[in-house]
Amino acid sequence: MKKYNRFTAPVKNQATGTTEKNNSISVVIPAAGTGHRMKSYGPKCLLPISAKETIIHNTIKNVRSVYPNSEITVVVGFEADKVIRVLPPDVRVIENQFYQETNVVESLRLALNSITNNNVLIVYGDLIFNTQAITGLTVGESCVVVDSKNNFKNEEVGVTVADNVVTNFAYGLDTKWGQIVYLTDETLSLFKTLCSNRKRNKMYPFELFNLIINEGFKIEAIEPKGIKIQEVDSLKDLKYENNDI
């Protein structure tokens, strides 16, 4: 039977992986939420997208494909034991025990306190996506994946973009944030600082991104060629055509 530390697994001794800039990289997958509309089905990340694969398996598989030796951290909360049981033994597990009272920012705070690198790729745990969605993100500076092809629902958070740089995150915008972000160097440092303020643990990450932008930091907007991506918000979303994922 696999053994895990429910708060943080030991740091692996082997190389943690490299980005295209030849720097080490950490990958954080927040998957602690209840998903109120799908609570009776268990954690969303365990929903099947095929006969052999769940959302979390697809996420880890794609991350390993693009960043084969990356340090992966999964933040669990709702029905944590069910998620922990299916995770590979080389994945770090952190539990957000206050997932019902907090938001994704608290899960990220816990994870960012444990990572060993100055580069982090954050991928939400309820996404179905292909490898193209995360390929090439680390060749430059901090960036977010955006979608202009209507893969996300209208009510999801969008972005305004000027000269390939995000100027604002807000609801009601046509181009959507793909819920994947790469942060590095001073931008990551500021994001960690913002997350560490416990008064912000009920905020959403995009609100912190706006604070970062207001401080004069740049977050590039990247829409990878050939991207397939979708947030799972209800069972009908699992009808997604994922043959190439």
Side-chain angles (χ1 to χ4, degrees):
M1 182 178 179
K2 299 174 187 175
K3 293 183 179 179
Y4 294 89
N5 183 316
R6 291 174 63 89
F7 295 94
T8 178
V11 176
K12 301 185 293 298
N13 292 324
Q14 68 263 32
T16 55
T18 58
T19 69
E20 290 89 339
K21 296 192 297 182
N22 293 319
N23 294 322
S24 53
I25 184 172
S26 297
V27 178
V28 172
I29 305 170
T34 58
H36 295 290
R37 279 176 280 186
M38 301 179 69
K39 187 174 182 178
S40 61
Y41 294 94
K44 281 200 288 185
C45 68
L46 296 185
L47 292 171
I49 63 173
S50 70
K52 298 180 179 179
E53 196 168 57
T54 64
I55 293 174
I56 193 67
H57 288 135
N58 178 70
T59 298
I60 294 173
K61 178 190 73 175
N62 287 344
V63 167
R64 287 284 188 232
S65 176
V66 179
Y67 306 104
N69 298 305
S70 54
E71 171 191 74
I72 299 178
T73 298
V74 177
V75 186
V76 298
F78 173 57
E79 296 190 357
D81 290 339
K82 290 183 178 180
V83 181
I84 291 171
R85 281 198 295 268
V86 305
L87 293 176
D90 60 344
V91 169
R92 175 180 289 136
V93 179
I94 292 179
E95 184 172 8
N96 178 1
Q97 293 189 317
F98 302 102
Y99 67 91
Q100 290 182 304
E101 306 164 21
T102 60
N103 215 316
V104 182
V105 166
E106 175 64 7
S107 291
L108 294 179
R109 181 188 72 82
L110 294 170
L112 294 177
N113 284 341
S114 77
I115 64 174
T116 62
N117 303 302
N118 196 39
N119 301 270
V120 63
L121 179 67
I122 299 170
V123 181
Y124 276 34
D126 57 357
L127 294 179
I128 303 173
F129 61 94
N130 59 3
T131 56
Q132 286 91 325
I134 57 174
T135 298
L137 301 183
T138 62
V139 297
E141 301 304 319
S142 297
C143 65
V144 293
V145 171
V146 300
D147 169 64
S148 62
K149 305 297 192 299
N150 299 316
N151 289 310
F152 286 82
K153 297 179 177 66
N154 289 334
E155 62 266 25
E156 298 299 336
V157 175
V159 294
T160 55
V161 179
D163 296 325
N164 298 319
V165 173
V166 178
T167 58
N168 188 49
F169 290 79
Y171 293 105
L173 301 174
D174 292 334
T175 299
K176 301 301 181 184
W177 172 40
Q179 300 179 8
I180 296 173
V181 57
Y182 172 69
L183 299 173
T184 186
D185 300 328
E186 292 181 354
T187 307
L188 174 59
S189 179
L190 178 54
F191 186 68
K192 284 182 177 181
T193 299
L194 294 172
C195 287
S196 67
N197 185 336
R198 297 296 184 93
K199 294 181 180 180
R200 296 191 174 98
N201 63 13
K202 294 185 180 180
M203 295 179 68
Y204 293 98
F206 79 87
E207 296 176 289
L208 300 190
F209 297 155
N210 279 334
L211 294 178
I212 289 173
I213 292 170
N214 291 340
E215 288 292 325
F217 290 82
K218 290 184 178 180
I219 300 178
E220 296 179 357
I222 306 292
E223 187 163 19
K225 185 177 180 180
I227 184 175
K228 291 186 178 181
I229 189 169
Q230 181 174 347
E231 179 191 19
V232 175
D233 202 36
S234 64
L235 287 179
K236 65 181 181 179
D237 294 331
L238 293 175
K239 296 178 181 179
Y240 180 69
E241 294 295 334
N242 55 73
N243 296 331
D244 297 326
I245 292 179

